[in-house]
Amino acid sequence: MEAFKTLIWIVNIISALAVIVLVLLQHGKGADAGATFGSGSGSAQGVFGSAGNANFLSRSTAVAATFFFATCMAMVYIHTHTTKHGLDFSNVQQTRQAPKPVSNTEPSAPVPQQQK
């Protein structure tokens, strides 16, 4: 089970990095808007771009985002269905005895009186 968790973590990290890189590599849709208005083209097709098929980068981003989402959901499922949550200190051996706490009910040593 631990190997499976490790594999999911690795795929999750790789897909997260892939999404970041692919988004940064893509050319924004609004980047050409100023150049289009300045060139005198009055076509709405030139201003807003073609509504054709997605290119390679956007499809790759969608695939990487799907892997990222799926691995996140897998980690949530694994975490909620395991009996061991958080840190488990049940098998820790103590090396020395803990000091006895001081209580206020025990008589204390007499406080020496100061002479005037």
Side-chain angles (χ1 to χ4, degrees):
M1 185 65 158
E2 290 298 319
F4 185 64
K5 285 186 199 179
T6 305
L7 179 67
I8 290 176
W9 269 104
I10 291 170
V11 172
N12 186 275
I13 291 170
I14 291 172
S15 63
L17 292 173
V19 168
I20 291 169
V21 169
L22 288 169
V23 166
L24 290 175
L25 285 175
Q26 290 183 29
H27 189 67
K29 289 187 179 183
D32 292 330
T36 304
F37 284 121
S39 67
S41 169
S43 156
Q45 184 94 12
V47 174
F48 298 109
S50 163
N53 292 335
N55 62 5
F56 176 74
L57 286 176
S58 62
R59 287 186 186 187
S60 300
T61 305
V63 169
T66 303
F67 275 115
F68 179 75
F69 180 75
T71 55
C72 286
M73 297 311 284
M75 286 190 293
V76 168
Y77 180 81
I78 289 171
H79 180 72
T80 56
H81 287 81
T82 56
T83 57
K84 185 174 149 183
H85 292 288
L87 299 174
D88 182 21
F89 295 110
S90 62
N91 60 356
V92 174
Q93 300 292 325
Q94 291 188 357
T95 57
R96 65 178 202 180
Q97 204 69 354
K100 189 174 181 183
V102 178
S103 66
N104 293 336
T105 59
E106 295 179 9
S108 61
V111 178
Q113 296 287 332
Q114 293 183 351
Q115 294 181 354
K116 293 183 184 180

